[in-house]
Amino acid sequence: KVQQGELTALGMWPANFERNVRRVWQIPAGLSVNAIPAVLGFWVNRDGQIEGSVEIIVDSDNTALTESALLALENVRIPPLPD
């Protein structure tokens, strides 16, 4: 039984995924991630593979930033979803 405030493996998955993306994401020099947002949408299957294509939901005003985010998703090791 999970106690209140206790993180499950599934509850920790998003943070692990984000940490892995940050390790491989090479942000173009001179850009601030907080200043120019790009939002990507995608599905991850249970094995940790991106299912289908990545969709640009909000495109950054800076093409290099959007492209770097897409490249990070191509190169990231996505952990499999826990049972």
Side-chain angles (χ1 to χ4, degrees):
K1 182 177 178 180
V2 177
Q3 301 296 319
Q4 183 177 1
E6 182 180 344
L7 285 177
T8 63
L10 184 57
M12 293 183 338
W13 188 91
N16 291 335
F17 170 72
E18 181 180 352
R19 187 172 31 256
N20 288 356
V21 169
R22 288 183 184 278
R23 285 181 184 146
V24 299
W25 189 8
Q26 303 218 354
I27 299 167
L31 292 178
S32 169
V33 175
N34 297 326
I36 308 171
V39 179
L40 307 177
F42 53 94
W43 291 95
V44 176
N45 67 26
R46 293 202 61 80
D47 295 333
Q49 301 297 313
I50 291 179
E51 191 79 27
S53 59
V54 176
E55 178 183 358
I56 300 171
I57 298 185
V58 177
D59 200 355
S60 171
D61 290 341
N62 187 301
T63 304
L65 182 60
T66 300
E67 289 177 1
S68 71
L70 290 166
L71 187 60
L73 283 180
E74 287 180 21
N75 293 313
V76 69
R77 185 190 76 70
I78 302 173
L81 292 168
D83 294 329

